[in-house]
Coordinates of all heavy atoms in Angstrom, one line a residue:
Chain A
E557 N 81.3 154.7 39.6 CA 80.8 155.8 40.5 C 80.4 157.0 39.6 O 79.3 157.6 39.9 CB 82.0 156.3 41.4 CG 81.7 156.1 42.8 CD 83.0 156.4 43.6 OE1 83.6 157.5 43.2 OE2 83.3 155.7 44.6
E560 N 77.0 156.5 38.4 CA 75.9 156.4 39.4 C 75.9 157.6 40.3 O 75.1 157.7 41.2 CB 76.1 155.1 40.3 CG 75.9 153.9 39.4 CD 76.1 152.6 40.2 OE1 76.5 152.8 41.4 OE2 76.0 151.6 39.7
R561 N 76.9 158.5 40.1 CA 77.0 159.6 41.0 C 75.7 160.4 41.2 O 75.2 160.6 42.3 CB 78.1 160.5 40.7 CG 78.4 161.6 41.7 CD 79.3 162.7 41.2 NE 80.5 162.2 40.6 CZ 80.8 162.5 39.3 NH1 80.0 163.3 38.6 NH2 81.9 162.1 38.8
K562 N 75.2 160.8 40.0 CA 74.0 161.7 40.1 C 72.8 161.0 40.8 O 72.2 161.6 41.6 CB 73.6 162.1 38.7 CG 73.0 163.5 38.6 CD 73.1 164.0 37.2 CE 71.8 163.7 36.5 NZ 71.8 164.2 35.1
S564 N 72.9 158.6 43.0 CA 73.0 158.4 44.4 C 73.0 159.7 45.2 O 72.6 159.7 46.3 CB 74.3 157.6 44.7 OG 75.4 158.2 44.1
L565 N 73.4 160.8 44.5 CA 73.3 162.1 45.2 C 71.8 162.5 45.2 O 71.3 162.9 46.3 CB 74.1 163.2 44.5 CG 75.6 163.1 44.6 CD1 76.3 164.2 43.9 CD2 76.1 163.1 46.0
N566 N 71.1 162.4 44.1 CA 69.7 162.8 44.1 C 68.8 162.1 45.0 O 67.8 162.6 45.5 CB 69.2 162.7 42.6 CG 69.7 163.8 41.7 OD1 70.0 164.8 42.2 ND2 69.7 163.5 40.5
Y568 N 69.3 161.4 48.0 CA 69.3 162.0 49.4 C 68.7 163.4 49.4 O 68.5 163.9 50.5 CB 70.7 162.0 49.9 CG 71.2 160.6 50.3 CD1 72.1 160.0 49.5 CD2 70.8 160.0 51.4 CE1 72.6 158.7 49.9 CE2 71.2 158.8 51.8 CZ 72.1 158.1 51.0 OH 72.5 156.9 51.3
I569 N 68.4 164.0 48.3 CA 68.0 165.4 48.3 C 66.7 165.5 49.1 O 66.7 166.4 50.0 CB 67.8 165.9 46.8 CG1 69.1 166.1 46.2 CG2 67.0 167.3 46.8 CD1 69.1 166.6 44.8
N571 N 65.5 163.9 51.7 CA 65.8 163.8 53.1 C 66.4 165.1 53.7 O 66.0 165.6 54.7 CB 66.7 162.7 53.3 CG 65.9 161.4 53.6 OD1 65.0 161.4 54.3 ND2 66.4 160.3 53.0
A572 N 67.5 165.6 52.9 CA 68.2 166.7 53.4 C 67.4 168.0 53.4 O 67.3 168.7 54.4 CB 69.5 166.9 52.6
T573 N 66.8 168.2 52.3 CA 66.0 169.5 52.2 C 64.8 169.4 53.2 O 64.5 170.4 53.8 CB 65.5 169.7 50.8 OG1 64.8 168.6 50.3 CG2 66.6 170.1 49.8
G574 N 64.2 168.3 53.3 CA 63.1 168.1 54.2 C 63.5 168.5 55.6 O 62.8 169.3 56.3
A575 N 64.6 168.0 56.1 CA 65.1 168.3 57.4 C 65.3 169.8 57.6 O 64.9 170.4 58.6 CB 66.3 167.5 57.7
I576 N 66.0 170.4 56.6 CA 66.3 171.8 56.7 C 65.1 172.7 56.7 O 64.9 173.6 57.5 CB 67.3 172.2 55.5 CG1 68.7 171.5 55.8 CG2 67.5 173.7 55.5 CD1 69.6 171.7 54.7
Y577 N 64.1 172.3 55.8 CA 62.9 173.1 55.7 C 62.1 173.0 57.0 O 61.5 174.1 57.4 CB 62.1 172.6 54.5 CG 60.9 173.5 54.3 CD1 61.0 174.8 53.8 CD2 59.6 173.0 54.6 CE1 59.9 175.6 53.6 CE2 58.5 173.8 54.4 CZ 58.6 175.1 53.9 OH 57.5 175.8 53.7
E578 N 62.1 171.8 57.6 CA 61.3 171.7 58.8 C 61.8 172.7 59.9 O 61.0 173.4 60.5 CB 61.5 170.3 59.4 CG 60.6 169.2 58.8 CD 59.1 169.5 58.9 OE1 58.7 169.9 60.0 OE2 58.4 169.5 57.9
I579 N 63.2 172.8 60.0 CA 63.7 173.7 61.0 C 63.4 175.2 60.6 O 63.0 175.9 61.5 CB 65.2 173.5 61.1 CG1 65.5 172.1 61.5 CG2 65.8 174.5 62.1 CD1 67.0 171.8 61.6
L580 N 63.5 175.5 59.3 CA 63.2 176.8 58.9 C 61.8 177.2 59.2 O 61.5 178.3 59.7 CB 63.5 177.0 57.4 CG 64.9 176.9 56.9 CD1 65.0 177.0 55.4 CD2 65.7 178.1 57.6
E582 N 59.8 175.9 61.6 CA 59.7 176.1 63.0 C 60.2 177.5 63.4 O 59.6 178.3 64.2 CB 60.5 175.1 63.8 CG 59.9 173.7 63.7 CD 58.6 173.5 64.4 OE1 58.3 174.4 65.2 OE2 57.9 172.5 64.2
M583 N 61.4 177.9 62.8 CA 62.0 179.1 63.1 C 61.1 180.3 62.7 O 60.9 181.3 63.4 CB 63.4 179.2 62.4 CG 64.4 178.5 63.1 SD 65.9 178.3 62.1 CE 66.5 180.0 62.2
S586 N 58.3 180.8 65.1 CA 58.6 181.4 66.4 C 59.1 182.9 66.1 O 58.9 183.7 66.9 CB 59.7 180.6 67.1 OG 60.9 180.6 66.3
K590 N 57.5 185.8 68.1 CA 58.3 186.6 69.1 C 58.8 187.9 68.5 O 59.2 188.7 69.3 CB 59.5 185.7 69.5 CG 59.2 184.6 70.5 CD 60.5 184.0 71.0 CE 60.3 182.6 71.5 NZ 61.5 181.8 71.5
R592 N 61.4 188.3 67.1 CA 62.8 188.4 67.5 C 63.6 189.2 66.5 O 63.4 188.9 65.3 CB 63.3 187.1 67.8 CG 64.5 187.1 68.8 CD 64.8 185.7 69.3 NE 65.0 184.7 68.2 CZ 65.2 183.5 68.4 NH1 65.2 183.0 69.6 NH2 65.5 182.6 67.3
K597 N 69.6 189.5 56.9 CA 69.6 188.5 55.9 C 68.7 187.3 56.3 O 67.9 186.8 55.5 CB 71.0 188.0 55.6 CG 71.3 187.6 54.2 CD 72.7 187.3 53.9 CE 73.2 186.1 54.6 NZ 74.6 185.7 54.3
D598 N 69.0 186.9 57.6 CA 68.3 185.7 58.1 C 66.8 186.1 58.2 O 65.9 185.2 57.9 CB 68.8 185.3 59.5 CG 70.3 184.8 59.3 OD1 70.7 184.5 58.2 OD2 71.0 184.8 60.4
L601 N 65.1 185.7 55.0 CA 64.9 184.4 54.6 C 63.7 183.8 55.3 O 62.9 183.1 54.7 CB 66.2 183.6 54.9 CG 66.1 182.0 54.6 CD1 65.8 181.8 53.2 CD2 67.3 181.3 55.1
L602 N 63.6 184.1 56.6 CA 62.5 183.5 57.4 C 61.2 184.0 57.0 O 60.2 183.4 56.9 CB 62.8 183.7 58.9 CG 64.0 183.0 59.5 CD1 64.2 183.3 61.0 CD2 63.8 181.5 59.4
V610 N 59.8 180.8 49.8 CA 60.8 179.8 49.8 C 60.1 178.5 50.4 O 59.7 178.6 51.6 CB 62.1 180.1 50.6 CG1 62.9 178.9 50.8 CG2 62.8 181.3 49.9
T614 N 61.6 174.7 46.7 CA 62.7 175.6 46.2 C 64.0 175.1 46.6 O 64.9 175.0 45.8 CB 62.5 177.0 46.9 OG1 61.2 177.2 47.2 CG2 63.0 178.1 46.0
L615 N 64.1 174.6 47.8 CA 65.4 174.1 48.3 C 65.7 172.9 47.5 O 66.9 172.7 47.1 CB 65.2 173.7 49.8 CG 65.1 174.8 50.8 CD1 64.9 174.3 52.2 CD2 66.4 175.6 50.8
R616 N 64.8 172.0 47.2 CA 65.0 170.8 46.5 C 65.5 171.1 45.1 O 66.5 170.5 44.7 CB 63.7 170.0 46.4 CG 63.9 168.6 46.3 CD 62.6 167.8 46.3 NE 62.1 167.7 47.7 CZ 61.0 167.0 47.9 NH1 60.3 166.4 47.0 NH2 60.5 166.9 49.1
K618 N 67.0 173.9 44.1 CA 68.3 174.5 44.1 C 69.4 173.4 44.3 O 70.4 173.5 43.7 CB 68.4 175.6 45.2 CG 67.6 176.8 44.8 CD 68.5 177.7 43.9 CE 67.8 179.0 43.6 NZ 68.6 179.7 42.5
L619 N 69.1 172.5 45.2 CA 70.1 171.5 45.6 C 70.3 170.6 44.4 O 71.4 170.2 44.0 CB 69.6 170.7 46.8 CG 70.7 169.9 47.5 CD1 71.9 170.8 47.9 CD2 70.1 169.2 48.8
Q621 N 69.9 171.4 41.3 CA 70.7 172.2 40.3 C 72.2 172.0 40.6 O 73.1 171.8 39.8 CB 70.3 173.6 40.4 CG 69.2 174.0 39.4 CD 68.8 175.4 39.6 OE1 69.6 176.3 40.1 NE2 67.6 175.7 39.3
H622 N 72.5 172.2 41.9 CA 73.9 172.2 42.4 C 74.5 170.8 42.1 O 75.6 170.7 41.6 CB 74.0 172.4 43.9 CG 75.3 172.3 44.5 ND1 76.4 173.1 44.1 CD2 75.9 171.4 45.3 CE1 77.5 172.8 44.7 NE2 77.2 171.7 45.5
V623 N 73.7 169.7 42.4 CA 74.2 168.4 42.1 C 74.5 168.2 40.6 O 75.6 167.7 40.2 CB 73.1 167.3 42.6 CG1 73.4 166.0 42.0 CG2 73.1 167.3 44.1
Q625 N 75.3 170.4 38.6 CA 76.5 171.2 38.2 C 77.8 170.5 38.6 O 78.7 170.3 37.8 CB 76.4 172.6 38.8 CG 77.5 173.6 38.3 CD 77.6 174.7 39.3 OE1 76.6 175.0 40.0 NE2 78.7 175.4 39.3
V626 N 77.7 170.0 39.8 CA 78.9 169.3 40.3 C 79.2 168.1 39.6 O 80.3 167.7 39.2 CB 78.7 168.9 41.8 CG1 79.8 167.9 42.3 CG2 78.7 170.1 42.7
M630 N 82.6 167.2 37.6 CA 83.4 166.0 37.9 C 83.5 165.1 36.6 O 84.5 164.5 36.4 CB 82.8 165.3 39.1 CG 83.0 166.0 40.3 SD 82.5 165.1 41.8 CE 83.7 163.9 42.0
Chain B
Q76 N 69.6 175.3 70.7 CA 68.6 175.6 69.7 C 69.1 176.7 68.7 O 69.0 176.6 67.5 CB 67.3 176.0 70.3 CG 66.2 176.1 69.4 CD 64.9 176.7 70.0 OE1 64.7 176.6 71.2 NE2 64.0 177.3 69.2
S77 N 69.6 177.8 69.4 CA 70.0 178.9 68.5 C 71.2 178.5 67.7 O 71.3 179.0 66.5 CB 70.2 180.2 69.3 OG 71.2 179.9 70.2
I79 N 71.9 175.5 66.5 CA 71.3 174.7 65.4 C 70.7 175.6 64.3 O 71.0 175.5 63.1 CB 70.3 173.7 65.9 CG1 70.9 172.7 66.7 CG2 69.5 173.1 64.7 CD1 69.9 171.7 67.4
E80 N 70.0 176.6 64.8 CA 69.3 177.5 63.9 C 70.3 178.3 63.0 O 70.1 178.4 61.8 CB 68.4 178.5 64.6 CG 67.1 177.7 65.1 CD 66.2 178.6 66.1 OE1 66.6 179.7 66.4 OE2 65.2 178.0 66.4
S81 N 71.4 178.8 63.6 CA 72.3 179.5 62.8 C 73.0 178.7 61.8 O 73.2 179.1 60.7 CB 73.3 180.3 63.7 OG 74.1 179.3 64.4
V83 N 71.7 176.0 60.4 CA 70.7 175.7 59.4 C 70.5 176.9 58.5 O 70.4 176.8 57.2 CB 69.4 175.2 60.0 CG1 68.3 175.2 59.0 CG2 69.6 173.8 60.6
L84 N 70.4 178.1 59.1 CA 70.3 179.3 58.2 C 71.4 179.4 57.2 O 71.2 179.7 56.0 CB 70.2 180.5 59.1 CG 68.8 180.8 59.7 CD1 68.9 182.0 60.7 CD2 67.8 181.1 58.6
S85 N 72.7 179.2 57.7 CA 73.7 179.3 56.8 C 73.6 178.2 55.7 O 74.0 178.5 54.5 CB 75.1 179.3 57.5 OG 75.3 177.9 58.0
L86 N 73.1 177.0 56.1 CA 73.0 176.0 55.1 C 72.0 176.4 54.0 O 72.2 176.3 52.8 CB 72.5 174.7 55.7 CG 73.4 173.9 56.7 CD1 72.7 172.6 57.1 CD2 74.7 173.6 56.1
A87 N 70.8 177.0 54.5 CA 69.8 177.4 53.6 C 70.3 178.5 52.6 O 70.0 178.4 51.4 CB 68.6 177.9 54.4
H88 N 71.0 179.4 53.2 CA 71.5 180.5 52.3 C 72.4 179.9 51.2 O 72.4 180.2 50.0 CB 72.4 181.5 53.1 CG 71.5 182.4 53.9 ND1 70.6 183.2 53.3 CD2 71.4 182.7 55.2 CE1 70.0 184.0 54.2 NE2 70.5 183.7 55.4
I90 N 72.4 176.9 50.0 CA 71.6 176.1 49.0 C 71.0 177.1 48.0 O 71.0 176.9 46.8 CB 70.5 175.2 49.7 CG1 71.2 174.1 50.5 CG2 69.6 174.6 48.7 CD1 70.2 173.3 51.3
L91 N 70.3 178.2 48.6 CA 69.6 179.1 47.8 C 70.5 179.8 46.8 O 70.1 180.2 45.7 CB 68.8 180.1 48.6 CG 67.6 179.4 49.4 CD1 67.0 180.4 50.3 CD2 66.6 178.8 48.4
S92 N 71.7 180.0 47.2 CA 72.6 180.7 46.3 C 73.3 179.7 45.3 O 74.2 180.0 44.5 CB 73.7 181.4 47.0 OG 74.4 180.6 47.9
G93 N 72.8 178.4 45.4 CA 73.2 177.5 44.4 C 74.5 176.8 44.6 O 75.1 176.2 43.7
N94 N 75.0 176.9 45.9 CA 76.3 176.2 46.2 C 76.1 174.9 46.9 O 77.1 174.4 47.5 CB 77.1 177.2 47.0 CG 77.5 178.4 46.2 OD1 77.7 178.3 45.1 ND2 77.6 179.6 46.9
G95 N 74.9 174.4 47.0 CA 74.8 173.1 47.7 C 75.0 173.4 49.2 O 74.7 174.6 49.6
F96 N 75.4 172.5 50.0 CA 75.8 172.8 51.3 C 76.9 171.9 51.8 O 77.1 170.8 51.2 CB 74.6 172.8 52.3 CG 74.0 171.5 52.5 CD1 74.4 170.7 53.6 CD2 72.9 171.0 51.7 CE1 73.8 169.4 53.8 CE2 72.4 169.8 52.0 CZ 72.8 169.0 53.0
F128 N 77.6 167.9 50.7 CA 76.5 167.1 50.2 C 76.8 166.5 48.8 O 76.5 165.4 48.5 CB 75.2 167.9 50.1 CG 74.0 167.2 49.7 CD1 73.3 166.3 50.5 CD2 73.6 167.2 48.3 CE1 72.2 165.6 50.1 CE2 72.5 166.5 47.9 CZ 71.9 165.7 48.7
A129 N 77.4 167.3 47.9 CA 77.5 166.9 46.5 C 78.8 166.1 46.4 O 79.7 166.4 45.5 CB 77.6 168.1 45.6
N130 N 79.0 165.1 47.2 CA 80.1 164.2 47.0 C 79.6 162.8 47.4 O 79.0 162.6 48.5 CB 81.2 164.6 47.9 CG 82.5 163.8 47.7 OD1 82.4 162.6 47.5 ND2 83.6 164.5 47.6
V131 N 79.9 161.8 46.5 CA 79.3 160.5 46.7 C 79.7 159.9 48.1 O 78.9 159.2 48.8 CB 79.7 159.5 45.6 CG1 79.2 158.2 45.8 CG2 79.3 160.1 44.3
S132 N 81.0 160.2 48.5 CA 81.4 159.5 49.7 C 80.8 160.2 51.0 O 80.8 159.6 52.0 CB 82.9 159.6 49.8 OG 83.4 160.9 49.6
V134 N 77.8 162.2 50.9 CA 76.4 162.7 50.8 C 75.5 162.0 51.9 O 74.7 162.7 52.5 CB 75.9 162.3 49.4 CG1 75.9 160.8 49.1 CG2 74.4 162.8 49.3
R135 N 75.8 160.7 52.2 CA 75.0 160.0 53.2 C 75.1 160.6 54.6 O 74.1 160.9 55.3 CB 75.4 158.6 53.2 CG 74.3 157.7 53.7 CD 74.8 156.2 53.7 NE 74.7 155.6 55.0 CZ 73.6 155.4 55.6 NH1 72.4 155.7 55.0 NH2 73.5 154.9 56.8
A137 N 76.3 163.6 55.3 CA 75.7 165.0 55.3 C 74.3 165.0 55.5 O 73.7 165.7 56.3 CB 76.1 165.7 54.0
T138 N 73.6 164.0 54.8 CA 72.1 164.0 55.0 C 71.7 163.6 56.4 O 70.8 164.2 57.0 CB 71.6 163.0 53.9 OG1 72.1 163.3 52.7 CG2 70.1 163.0 53.9
I139 N 72.4 162.5 56.9 CA 72.1 162.1 58.2 C 72.3 163.2 59.2 O 71.6 163.5 60.1 CB 72.9 160.9 58.6 CG1 72.5 159.7 57.7 CG2 72.7 160.4 60.1 CD1 73.3 158.4 58.0
T141 N 72.0 166.5 58.7 CA 70.9 167.5 58.7 C 69.7 166.9 59.4 O 69.0 167.6 60.2 CB 70.5 167.8 57.3 OG1 70.2 166.6 56.6 CG2 71.5 168.6 56.6
R142 N 69.5 165.6 59.2 CA 68.3 165.0 59.8 C 68.4 165.0 61.4 O 67.5 165.3 62.1 CB 68.2 163.5 59.3 CG 67.0 162.8 59.7 CD 65.8 163.1 58.8 NE 64.6 162.3 59.1 CZ 63.6 162.8 59.7 NH1 63.5 164.1 60.0 NH2 62.6 162.0 60.0
I143 N 69.6 164.6 61.9 CA 69.9 164.6 63.3 C 69.7 166.1 63.9 O 69.1 166.3 64.9 CB 71.2 164.1 63.7 CG1 71.4 162.7 63.2 CG2 71.6 164.3 65.1 CD1 71.0 161.6 64.2
L144 N 70.2 167.0 63.1 CA 70.0 168.4 63.6 C 68.6 168.8 63.7 O 68.2 169.4 64.7 CB 70.7 169.4 62.5 CG 72.2 169.6 62.6 CD1 72.7 170.4 61.5 CD2 72.6 170.3 64.0
Q145 N 67.8 168.3 62.8 CA 66.4 168.6 62.8 C 65.7 167.9 64.1 O 64.9 168.5 64.7 CB 65.7 168.2 61.5 CG 64.2 168.5 61.4 CD 63.4 167.4 60.9 OE1 63.8 166.6 60.2 NE2 62.1 167.5 61.2
L146 N 66.1 166.7 64.3 CA 65.5 166.0 65.4 C 65.9 166.6 66.7 O 65.1 166.7 67.7 CB 66.0 164.5 65.4 CG 65.4 163.7 64.2 CD1 66.1 162.3 64.1 CD2 63.9 163.5 64.4
H148 N 66.6 169.7 67.2 CA 65.9 171.0 67.2 C 64.5 170.7 67.8 O 64.0 171.5 68.6 CB 65.8 171.5 65.8 CG 65.3 172.9 65.7 ND1 64.1 173.3 65.2 CD2 65.8 174.1 66.2 CE1 63.8 174.6 65.3 NE2 64.9 175.1 65.9
Q149 N 63.9 169.7 67.4 CA 62.5 169.3 67.9 C 62.6 169.1 69.4 O 61.8 169.5 70.1 CB 62.0 168.0 67.2 CG 61.3 168.3 65.9 CD 60.8 167.0 65.3 OE1 60.7 166.0 66.0 NE2 60.5 167.0 64.1
L152 N 62.7 172.3 71.2 CA 61.5 173.0 71.3 C 60.5 172.4 72.3 O 59.9 173.1 73.0 CB 60.8 172.9 69.9 CG 61.4 173.7 68.8 CD1 60.7 173.5 67.4 CD2 61.4 175.2 69.1
D166 N 63.9 157.5 62.1 CA 64.1 157.4 60.6 C 65.0 156.2 60.3 O 66.1 156.3 59.8 CB 64.7 158.7 60.1 CG 64.5 158.8 58.6 OD1 64.2 157.8 57.9 OD2 64.6 159.9 58.1
L169 N 66.6 155.9 56.8 CA 67.7 156.7 56.4 C 69.0 156.2 57.2 O 70.1 156.0 56.7 CB 67.5 158.1 56.7 CG 68.6 159.1 56.5 CD1 69.0 159.1 55.1 CD2 68.3 160.5 56.9
Q171 N 69.6 153.4 58.8 CA 70.0 151.9 58.5 C 70.5 151.2 59.8 O 70.1 150.1 60.0 CB 71.0 151.9 57.4 CG 70.3 152.1 56.1 CD 71.3 152.1 55.0 OE1 72.5 151.8 55.1 NE2 70.9 152.5 53.8

Side-chain angles (χ1 to χ4, degrees):
Chain A
E557 245 173 39
E560 292 176 2
R561 186 193 311 121
K562 212 162 95 181
S564 51
L565 288 181
N566 282 335
Y568 286 103
I569 290 181
N571 268 317
T573 51
I576 292 172
Y577 183 70
E578 278 302 311
I579 301 177
L580 289 178
E582 291 290 348
M583 282 169 70
S586 63
K590 282 188 202 158
R592 203 166 57 184
K597 211 172 70 173
D598 295 344
L601 176 62
L602 292 179
V610 170
T614 336
L615 290 174
R616 208 177 282 183
K618 284 282 183 187
L619 198 54
Q621 270 174 24
H622 175 68
V623 166
Q625 190 196 337
V626 168
M630 286 182 75
Chain B
Q76 186 186 339
S77 60
I79 291 177
E80 286 172 356
S81 65
V83 167
L84 276 172
S85 70
L86 294 184
H88 283 303
I90 294 173
L91 289 175
S92 56
N94 294 326
F96 68 91
F128 179 82
N130 187 316
V131 179
S132 57
V134 60
R135 201 178 125 69
T138 309
I139 296 178
T141 53
R142 189 83 176 105
I143 298 272
L144 277 175
Q145 187 221 335
L146 291 170
H148 190 249
Q149 274 181 16
L152 291 175
D166 200 341
L169 176 64
Q171 285 174 9

